[in-house]
């Protein structure tokens, strides 16, 4: 899942500081950078057809939400059938029904709010040849109707700030929609071929696995973008820059910019000459061997919370997030690095570079 957006209530002082280095508002960006709904649907349909061909054992079920939510939920029930199994989380058999109820209600929420998500289920429909179902909630128009909309969807910041971003740093609607599709499908592939999130009594185990999977999903989605574009594009750099400011929306688990930097060090030809399964294998290797371990993640969370305080974002530190700051003190050097990177990327998005 890309993320559930934070409420746009960043401290007024913080955004006042950012606005002082902003460039002029691009009043016509929404109209100039729009893309036709038909074009978005074509991108979505073509990518799903490619995935269905590459992974015939998986039924990729697309749900769009919004006004279609009721119809979507009926379709979901019909496809899953009786006694489906959630494949994203390891769980004891006695809790299987409860997990399904939670999973279905989560899908309902994502459809109603038209936020992208994915879930993998195993059904009893062995005879169909597609026992596994990757449920995708994606509304193309809602997330990528134009460049302002696409950029704000990922950045999750006030419209006034997004409108100030220089045009060259805005996300292309077509590229962003493709990125979202690949990102969400990665999560299904991860559960299918690497297994579910293991059970654990560790305090931040669920948060750690979200961090782990988001790192790999961005790696995979940008690897697919490079494969299609046949080069590293400005879109890759723009995604990296936006992920660099994730702390500004209290979203430490989507701070994937350092992982993206590792991706961009790989020669583009390694993605250009790869098929979809090979790109997935690269992302899987990155996730298993190059992303930080659990103990290092705990230290990172503590440092991220402290960095948010330094940035003037204390109002975004919820009680839940504060509780997650376990008995490990922030690493001063890591705090400085997070603060520096966040300020630098925000300044660039605002049209300036800090000295």
């Amino acid at each position: 899942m890309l993320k559930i957006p934070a409420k746009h209530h960043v401290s007024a002082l913080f955004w006042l500081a950012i606005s002082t280095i902003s460039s002029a508002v691009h009043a016509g960006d929404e109209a100039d950078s729009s893309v036709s709904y038909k074009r978005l649907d074509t991108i979505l349909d073509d990518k799903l057809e490619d995935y269905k061909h590459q992974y015939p054992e998986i039924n990729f079920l697309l749900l769009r939400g919004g006004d279609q939510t009721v119809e979507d939920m009926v379709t979901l029930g019909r496809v899953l059938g009786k006694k489906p199994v959630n494949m994203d989380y390891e769980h004891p058999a006695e809790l299987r029904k409860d997990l399904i109820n939670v999973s279905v209600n989560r899908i309902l929420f994502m459809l109603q709010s038209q936020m992208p998500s994915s879930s993998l289920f195993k059904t009893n429909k062995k005879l169909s040849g597609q026992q596994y179902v990757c449920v995708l909630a994606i509304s193309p128009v809602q997330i990528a109707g134009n460049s302002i909309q696409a950029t704000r969807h990922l950045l999750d910041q006030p419209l006034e700030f997004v409108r100030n971003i220089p045009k060259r740093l805005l996300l292309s609607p077509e590229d962003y929609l493709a990125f979202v599709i690949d990102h969400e499908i990665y999560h299904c592939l991860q559960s299918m071929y690497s297994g579910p999130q293991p059970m654990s009594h560790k305090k931040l185990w669920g948060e750690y696995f979200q961090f782990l999977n988001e790192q790999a999903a961005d790696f995979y989605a940008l690897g697919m973008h490079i494969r299609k574009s046949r080069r590293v594009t400005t879109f890759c750099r723009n995604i990296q820059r936006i992920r660099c400011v994730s702390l500004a929306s209290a979203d430490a688990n989507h701070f994937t910019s350092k992982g993206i930097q590792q991706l961009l060090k790989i020669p583009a030809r390694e993605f250009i000459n790869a098929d979809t399964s090979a790109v997935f294998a690269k992302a899987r290797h990155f996730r298993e061997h190059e992303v930080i371990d659990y103990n290092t993640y705990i230290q990172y969370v503590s440092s991220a919370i402290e960095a948010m305080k330094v940035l003037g974002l204390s109002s975004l530190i919820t009680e839940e997030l504060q509780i997650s700051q376990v008995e490990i003190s922030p690493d001063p050097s890591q705090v400085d690095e997070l603060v520096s990177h966040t300020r630098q990327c925000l300044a660039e998005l605002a049209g300036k570079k800090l000295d």
Side-chain angles (χ1 to χ4, degrees), residues 204 207 247 249-253 297 301-302 304-305 308 313-314 316-326:
L204 298 185
E207 290 83 353
L247 294 188
S249 54
D251 193 10
N253 284 342
Y297 172 76
V301 171
S302 182
I305 293 173
M308 289 175 62
L313 299 172
S314 296
L316 291 185
I317 303 175
T318 62
E319 182 178 354
E320 181 182 3
L321 187 58
Q322 192 71 55
I323 290 174
S324 72
Q325 192 171 10
V326 290

Side-chain angles (χ1 to χ4, degrees), residues 47-333:
K47 287 195 72 67
L48 288 183
E49 282 302 314
D50 287 344
Y51 276 111
K52 290 174 183 178
H53 177 74
Q54 184 73 32
Y55 300 98
E57 64 275 25
I58 302 176
N59 176 9
F60 292 95
L61 175 64
L62 174 65
L63 307 176
R64 294 174 180 264
D67 294 339
Q68 297 180 216
T69 297
V70 173
E71 180 182 343
D72 284 341
M73 294 303 292
V74 172
T75 300
L76 177 63
R78 175 176 51 79
V79 172
L80 293 184
K82 296 181 179 179
K83 298 182 179 180
V85 179
N86 180 291
M87 299 295 290
D88 295 322
Y89 303 96
E90 183 183 17
H91 57 279
E94 62 268 22
L95 295 180
R96 183 157 296 163
K97 185 176 179 180
D98 291 337
L99 179 56
I100 285 295
N101 288 337
V102 171
S103 301
V104 169
N105 275 288
R106 172 182 171 273
I107 292 172
L108 173 60
F109 172 80
M110 301 305 281
L111 290 172
Q112 289 173 331
S113 57
Q114 292 190 290
M115 290 297 296
S117 70
S118 58
S119 305
L120 184 70
F121 298 91
K122 182 179 180 181
T123 73
N124 290 319
K125 301 181 179 181
K126 299 179 181 179
L127 297 179
S128 69
Q130 289 185 316
Q131 194 174 5
Y132 298 94
V133 181
C134 174
V135 180
L136 299 165
I138 299 177
S139 176
V141 175
Q142 187 71 18
I143 65 176
N146 56 61
S147 58
I148 291 287
Q149 195 172 7
T151 304
R152 191 184 185 206
H153 185 266
L154 190 70
L155 182 59
D156 187 26
Q157 294 300 344
L159 181 60
E160 293 75 13
F161 178 76
V162 179
R163 282 176 170 165
N164 279 327
I165 297 174
K167 286 187 176 181
R168 71 182 185 281
L169 303 185
L170 295 173
L171 299 178
S172 152
E174 295 96 332
D175 288 334
Y176 182 60
L177 176 59
F179 173 86
V180 170
I181 298 166
D182 289 326
H183 179 107
E184 295 302 335
I185 285 181
Y186 170 82
H187 290 305
C188 283
L189 299 180
Q190 171 65 37
S191 295
M192 180 78 177
Y193 300 109
S194 294
Q197 174 184 310
M199 291 187 292
S200 174
H201 292 293
K202 292 180 178 178
K203 185 174 182 179
L204 298 185
W205 191 247
E207 290 83 353
Y208 171 62
F209 260 80
Q210 184 195 18
F211 175 83
L212 192 67
N213 291 337
E214 293 304 325
Q215 299 287 324
D218 276 4
F219 184 105
Y220 173 76
L222 285 181
M224 291 292 287
H225 172 82
I226 293 171
R227 174 175 174 262
K228 177 179 180 296
S229 302
R230 304 189 66 79
R231 61 189 177 90
V232 174
T233 67
T234 56
F235 177 81
C236 297
R237 302 291 184 186
N238 289 340
I239 291 285
Q240 182 185 22
R241 186 178 291 106
I242 290 173
R243 287 306 205 196
C244 175
V245 300
S246 294
L247 294 188
S249 54
D251 193 10
N253 284 342
H254 281 89
F255 190 89
T256 65
S257 56
K258 293 183 72 173
I260 294 173
Q261 185 62 38
Q262 290 179 252
L263 164 79
L264 298 181
K265 291 179 181 179
I266 301 173
R269 65 177 178 274
E270 292 192 21
F271 294 100
I272 295 170
N273 297 329
D275 60 13
T276 302
S277 60
V279 177
F280 173 70
K282 287 180 180 294
R284 184 176 177 180
H285 182 274
F286 166 76
R287 176 185 180 276
E288 294 173 357
H289 299 285
E290 298 184 46
V291 182
I292 59 177
D293 61 19
Y294 177 77
N295 290 330
T296 308
Y297 172 76
I298 294 176
Q299 178 77 77
Y300 161 72
V301 171
S302 182
S303 297
I305 293 173
E306 186 64 25
M308 289 175 62
K309 295 176 182 177
V310 175
L311 289 164
L313 299 172
S314 296
S315 63
L316 291 185
I317 303 175
T318 62
E319 182 178 354
E320 181 182 3
L321 187 58
Q322 192 71 55
I323 290 174
S324 72
Q325 192 171 10
V326 290
E327 301 80 11
I328 293 183
S329 299
D331 177 356
S333 62

